[in-house]
């Protein structure tokens, strides 16, 4: 069997040793695992941002990869702890929607509620299930332990609903759902939404910005000019070449984006 | 022998390649080692914060793990370079107290002063012992080299003293010793300090905050409300649910915390 | 063959999963590789800073290490994608000068233009060649694939030119070329430039700072005092002990530094 990969995504930041501690717990159980950080810069308690980041990344990992995600404002409450097996991967974390975008219903093989304390750390806290439950479960799973050992199968999980694109006679309205490190504005409008239309005859309006046409890459426009393009996630993105669209136009997540199809 | 783990904790940040360079030096000597970052976000030259982070993490790693820590304002001066062997682990770094909380006296097997230049990088600087001394020593140790090869055993090391809890007739006074990424206030008051008292009848006072009772988890209070709880380190912590207690109340490290036992 | 190392240097930051995605792509092709982050905090699109960081680090890695670097404002344009083989290592990234300081002409064995789409990700974007081209090429190379499989050999590559030191009768003029995490000012003046002169009789002037003599380490001066020293890169650096020279004196990259040789 090739080496197993465990990824970690949290809102823990990297100043404290929270993430390092989770890795210590994992390596104590399975020293041969390969650990990859997806992000520890999810804004504190922002489940939607965490879910989008996890979703953007999961498809690029080897089959059987175990993704551990902890953005967990309800830690210590009644929210359940889950292991989700999909056709391609495993997802471990709190049942608050964080895992749901990366594990759409049609890919789910089974959902296990993590209840078997035999696989948890012996001394548990009420505030750090990443260390006490999610990390050790991931490590035992990576050793080949069967998912059903960790608890009962349950029928459903919490699911996030992203804002939906609205279709009009002359175009459509979407929203900014994520802003990346470069200040690029990622919308909920997919490549498929644009399929029926000519990319040259689209007018993109957001705040005071008007962009005609969807281009292939940032480099298609001048430095400092705005561009609309299909990004590496397959979503419509609004960027400023070598600049930050978010800062320049003062735009935050949730801001509407209007697309008009010109005749 | 299972794969050896080397952890790294520094105040180097992650903008420059200082940490990557230490990893290159290590992998050049032992390519099979497993490297884990504890934190590189220790505030520059803040030895106490580094010592607390290292202490919070070390117990969760496999026996025999080698922890390299570099917060080293005295680099290039007469301060000694040390390897400390405890019953559970190895600690490598400057002799300025940084390693002392994770290696309490009763666990220490021996302290070696790193003097044998045979195991250092050939060309050494006066400003980057992380690269030139600590990284190569850690790598040679991970290959099974005996600690006594690196230098003479010495009897003592620099030790930090944290502020002590003061006991009064009606309660006790502690201090904030660390503020984490979420703005939670970690105090020097331990679970054992609270043992004799009823957790419901405690009044916690810090700045203008008054909190009655110690709860099990953040989720026990409303969003935005303050909570006192025993955290994952086993210390009394003051938090604001889904918020930052440090920002809300303008509290820094060193701030006093008063506990009053209500009748 | 010992385990291969792939390093990653980008301006992607660590909030998004861009870096994690590149690692997923690599591990999907070669699960046994050892991954090391050099920096993901290169300021967006700052090719010179990225080139300096890569240059500072490459020499410390095992022979045969594969360095992937992506600071790529021209992604999606006509700029070429390159693999550079030197006597010691491999460098993969855009042909915009980013790789040039770490791969000086006299060390270059061959330059390959990456054109063979057989080794790229199947579905490619115009905005994320780190994921689609550079990561998979690095992974295939780490498996032992011959460089010439990836495309034709080309004669030249884009090279950065750093500002040159100017020599006068009474001294020399250099520039700040990089400011590190501690606010230390790294100049383009090398140890060799200072060779002919007495280190005690040098006067270093930058902004309102006047420093007499080049010392061995930060610890040679009082806390809060400025110091000039040869740093771990072998360059003249101006620092404030336990402080930030950049913040204290308001100095940015490009600022001139004057050295006067006192009689």
């Amino acid at each position: 069997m090739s080496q197993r990969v465990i990824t970690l995504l949290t809102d823990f930041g990297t100043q404290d040793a929270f993430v390092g501690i989770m890795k210590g717990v994992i390596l104590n159980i399975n020293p041969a695992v390969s650990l990859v950080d997806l992000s520890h810069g999810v804004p504190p308690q922002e489940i939607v941002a965490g879910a989008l980041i996890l979703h953007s990344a999961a498809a690029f990992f080897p089959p059987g990869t175990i993704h551990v995600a902890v953005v967990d404002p309800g830690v210590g409450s009644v929210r359940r702890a889950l292991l989700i097996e999909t056709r391609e991967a495993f997802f471990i974390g709190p049942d608050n929607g964080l895992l749901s975008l990366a594990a759409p219903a049609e890919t789910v093989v089974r959902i296990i509620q993590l209840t078997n304390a035999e696989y948890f750390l012996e001394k548990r806290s009420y505030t750090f299930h990443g260390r006490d439950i999610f990390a050790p479960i991931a490590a035992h799973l990576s050793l080949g332990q069967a998912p059903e050992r960790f608890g009962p199968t349950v029928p459903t999980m919490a699911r996030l609903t992203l804002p939906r694109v609205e279709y009009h006679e002359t175009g459509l309205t979407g929203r900014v759902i994520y802003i990346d490190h470069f200040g690029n504005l990622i919308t909920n409008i997919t490549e498929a939404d644009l399929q029926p239309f000519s990319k040259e005859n689209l007018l993109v309006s957001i705040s005071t910005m008007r962009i005609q046409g969807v281009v292939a890459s940032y480099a298609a426009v001048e430095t400092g000019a705005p561009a609309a393009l299909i990004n590496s996630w397959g979503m419509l993105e609004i960027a400023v070449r070598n600049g930050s669209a978010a800062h320049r136009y003062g735009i935050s997540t949730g801001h509407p984006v209007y697309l008009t199809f010109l005749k």
Side-chain angles (χ1 to χ4, degrees), chain A:
Chain A
M1 193 181 72
S2 79
Q3 196 174 15
R4 285 296 281 274
V5 178
I6 296 179
T7 81
L8 300 173
L9 174 138
T10 74
D11 62 351
F12 294 167
T14 53
Q15 177 203 320
D16 311 303
F18 298 135
V19 174
I21 288 169
M22 289 179 65
K23 293 179 181 174
V25 168
I26 290 169
L27 293 170
N28 212 353
I29 296 167
N30 183 0
V33 85
S34 199
L35 292 162
V36 175
D37 298 302
L38 289 188
S39 171
H40 303 295
V42 178
Q45 288 100 29
E46 289 202 11
I47 294 167
V48 175
L52 285 166
I53 295 172
L54 182 60
H55 179 43
S56 77
F60 294 96
F61 281 83
T65 291
I66 299 163
H67 301 281
V68 179
V70 193
V71 179
D72 194 10
V75 61
S77 74
V78 294
R79 74 97 187 87
R80 304 180 301 177
L82 297 184
L83 161 62
I84 300 160
E85 180 179 352
T86 68
R87 287 198 298 266
E88 289 295 323
F90 297 92
F91 298 89
I92 294 173
D95 183 26
N96 61 14
L98 178 65
L99 312 175
S100 65
L101 300 183
E106 64 273 19
T107 69
V108 172
V109 174
R110 58 182 156 178
I111 305 171
I112 302 279
Q113 184 180 356
L114 302 172
T115 57
N116 188 350
E118 197 185 318
Y119 296 99
F120 300 168
L121 274 210
E122 231 172 289
K123 192 175 178 312
R124 276 194 306 289
S125 70
Y126 289 93
T127 57
F128 193 4
H129 286 182
R131 176 190 74 187
D132 303 337
I133 297 179
F134 303 130
I137 290 284
H140 286 293
L141 181 65
S142 75
L143 284 172
Q145 199 59 259
E148 57 267 30
R149 296 298 306 267
F150 304 130
T153 298
V154 293
T156 56
M157 57 184 280
R159 291 206 163 272
L160 295 180
T161 41
L162 291 178
R164 302 183 68 133
V165 172
E166 291 163 35
Y167 299 88
H168 316 295
E169 212 161 303
T170 59
L172 51 82
T173 304
R175 297 203 171 264
V176 173
I177 55 171
Y178 186 77
I179 298 175
D180 75 13
H181 167 71
F182 295 99
N184 298 325
L185 311 170
I186 291 111
T187 73
N188 60 340
I189 301 166
T190 65
E191 194 165 14
D193 289 328
L194 302 185
Q195 199 76 54
F197 307 100
S198 147
K199 283 185 181 162
E200 288 74 27
N201 292 329
L202 270 175
L203 181 72
V204 181
S205 310
I206 176 168
S207 179
T208 60
M209 233 185 303
R210 299 288 174 276
I211 307 167
Q212 190 179 337
V214 172
V215 294
S217 73
Y218 310 119
V221 302
E222 299 293 307
T223 294
L229 46 79
I230 299 298
N231 76 357
S232 66
W233 310 11
M235 311 297 273
L236 184 75
E237 173 179 311
I238 293 133
V240 164
R241 185 173 179 193
N242 295 7
S244 165
H247 288 149
R248 167 100 67 92
Y249 296 93
I251 290 168
S252 332
T253 301
H255 202 99
V257 185
Y258 305 98
L259 263 66
T260 314
F261 304 114
L262 305 170
K263 313 285 158 73

